[in-house]
Amino acid sequence: MIDCVVVNYHTAALLPGLLDDLLGEPAVAGVVVVDNSGELEPAMFADRQRVLLLRPGSNLGFAAAVNLAVPHLTSEYVLLVNPDIRLFPGCLPALLAAARDSGAVLTGPRFYWDAGKRFRLPPSLGACGWLDFAQEAAARSRLDAEHLSFYWQLRFARFWEQEEPFAEPFLSGACLLVDRPWALGHDGPLLDPRFFLYYEDTDLSSRAAFAGRLQLCVPAAEALHYYDQSPPPGKSKAALMVAAHERFKEKYYPGMEWSFAASGAAWQPVAEDLGELQVPPVLSPAGVGNDRGYFEIGINPVFVPCAQAVLAPGEVPVIPPELWARQAPGIYYGRLRDS
């Protein structure tokens, strides 16, 4: 059986759909909702007998909120799942079967960005020293940017070409099946509360790696990830990610000098500025020859990470209006490339 933990932070409108997905699964014993925003009332769940609402009275952060739910968990497996997730049919049974068959302590699905499954989301980026260095170098050198982008294209392709469960170095905590006895079988909580928001899943994957335990991505398990639907608690998302990244470096790279970021000017990619857009841009047919192509959207010019749509020859890339409307204001990069 599976217990599920959902941490709510101003995402009340998203909860009913996710709870319908979870409670419709026979393997789900119950769902613990931890309300970090104080907007939920017990009456909202009166008709959902397997839902337990915990109201800590303040925003504990993601890791501490999950840990608050731990005393109420009794099943062998725990599903950590964000409110902005929807499970496609068969997702949870596929995760559970793969975990039982392989003994993996962490098991995760592949994510789409839209309900029509046009935009594929990337593997979890994770964190490690060489990748930090590569990203800093890529921001300052076009040569390094080309090499990092090439690496990521190969990693993205491997991630989506697999047909059977495969090992991954990092899995996303947006929807993650966790072996509860393993996760709690150490001197500490399930998640490290030093990570207020972000990198708690990266830390959990690192623990599994150091323990020599398997963590799998399961292609048969598919989920929709609306992505970034909670408002940032006080600080910006970027500031929170930087702070969590610093905690990760302090934990895994104590005393290491990180001086590369202090030097060098950023390079500017050759790109057409489409201006500020309230609706998706109308794009030209894909000029990718007779082979399939890819339309990619990222938050930096290196496209690490990015969302990707596979295009037939000559197909016009289309961004669904509902997907566009969900995205936070910011600078986004787009590109077309062939295979």
Side-chain angles (χ1 to χ4, degrees), residues 144-158:
D144 289 272
E146 294 286 354
H147 285 181
L148 180 58
S149 182
F150 179 68
Y151 153 78
W152 189 251
Q153 290 171 32
L154 297 178
R155 178 141 159 65
F156 203 122
R158 170 192 176 273

Side-chain angles (χ1 to χ4, degrees), residues 27 57 73 78 82 104 119 134 138 142 144 149 175 180 199 216 242 278 320 326 334 339:
L73 309 177
V78 177
N82 287 0
F119 282 88
R142 182 176 178 182
D144 289 272
S149 182
C175 182
R180 186 176 68 92
Y199 283 84
L216 289 180
V242 168
Q278 300 301 318
R326 286 199 301 265
S339 60

Side-chain angles (χ1 to χ4, degrees), residues 31-35 40-45 51-55:
V31 181
V32 180
V33 178
V34 184
D35 182 21
L40 304 179
E41 296 293 337
M44 299 170 65
F45 307 98
V51 176
L52 172 65
L53 175 63
L54 300 180
R55 297 188 291 175

Side-chain angles (χ1 to χ4, degrees), residues 21 34 36 38 50 61 76 108 123 127 139 146 148 168 178 186 191 198 202 208 215 217 224 233 250 271 304 308:
D21 290 347
V34 184
N36 271 351
R50 286 180 287 158
E76 180 182 3
E146 294 286 354
L148 180 58
E168 273 288 288
V178 181
H186 70 114
L191 297 180
Y198 304 120
T202 304
Q215 42 192 330
C217 179
L224 167 63
E250 290 170 1
V304 179
Q308 180 190 85

Side-chain angles (χ1 to χ4, degrees), residues 113 226-229 237 269 271-277 281 295-303 305-307 319 323-335:
W113 205 16
Y226 290 139
Y227 183 70
D228 195 22
Q229 297 303 296
K237 176 182 175 180
E272 179 183 355
D273 187 354
L274 301 182
E276 295 187 11
L277 303 173
F295 173 52
E296 298 174 333
I297 301 175
I299 56 174
N300 58 59
V302 187
F303 292 85
C306 66
I319 305 173
L323 191 158
W324 185 270
R326 286 199 301 265
Q327 302 318 301
I331 297 174
Y332 296 88
Y333 294 85
R335 73 177 175 190

Side-chain angles (χ1 to χ4, degrees), residues 50-104:
R50 286 180 287 158
V51 176
L52 172 65
L53 175 63
L54 300 180
R55 297 188 291 175
S58 63
N59 185 6
L60 303 179
F62 182 80
V66 169
N67 294 338
L68 184 68
V70 165
H72 304 279
L73 309 177
T74 59
S75 297
E76 180 182 3
Y77 293 97
V78 177
L79 183 74
L80 307 181
V81 58
N82 287 0
D84 59 1
I85 292 290
R86 291 295 176 273
L87 303 181
F88 287 114
C91 178
L92 204 50
L95 290 178
L96 184 59
R100 285 175 170 168
D101 291 346
S102 67

Side-chain angles (χ1 to χ4, degrees), residues 246-305:
E246 289 301 317
R247 299 290 82 74
F248 188 86
K249 291 192 292 187
E250 290 170 1
K251 182 172 182 177
Y252 290 96
Y253 301 92
M256 180 178 287
E257 294 291 336
W258 300 82
S259 59
F260 183 81
S263 62
W267 68 281
Q268 296 297 321
V270 177
E272 179 183 355
D273 187 354
L274 301 182
E276 295 187 11
L277 303 173
Q278 300 301 318
V279 296
V282 178
L283 303 170
S284 300
V288 293
N290 296 322
D291 201 355
R292 68 178 179 179
Y294 304 99
F295 173 52
E296 298 174 333
I297 301 175
I299 56 174
N300 58 59
V302 187
F303 292 85
V304 179

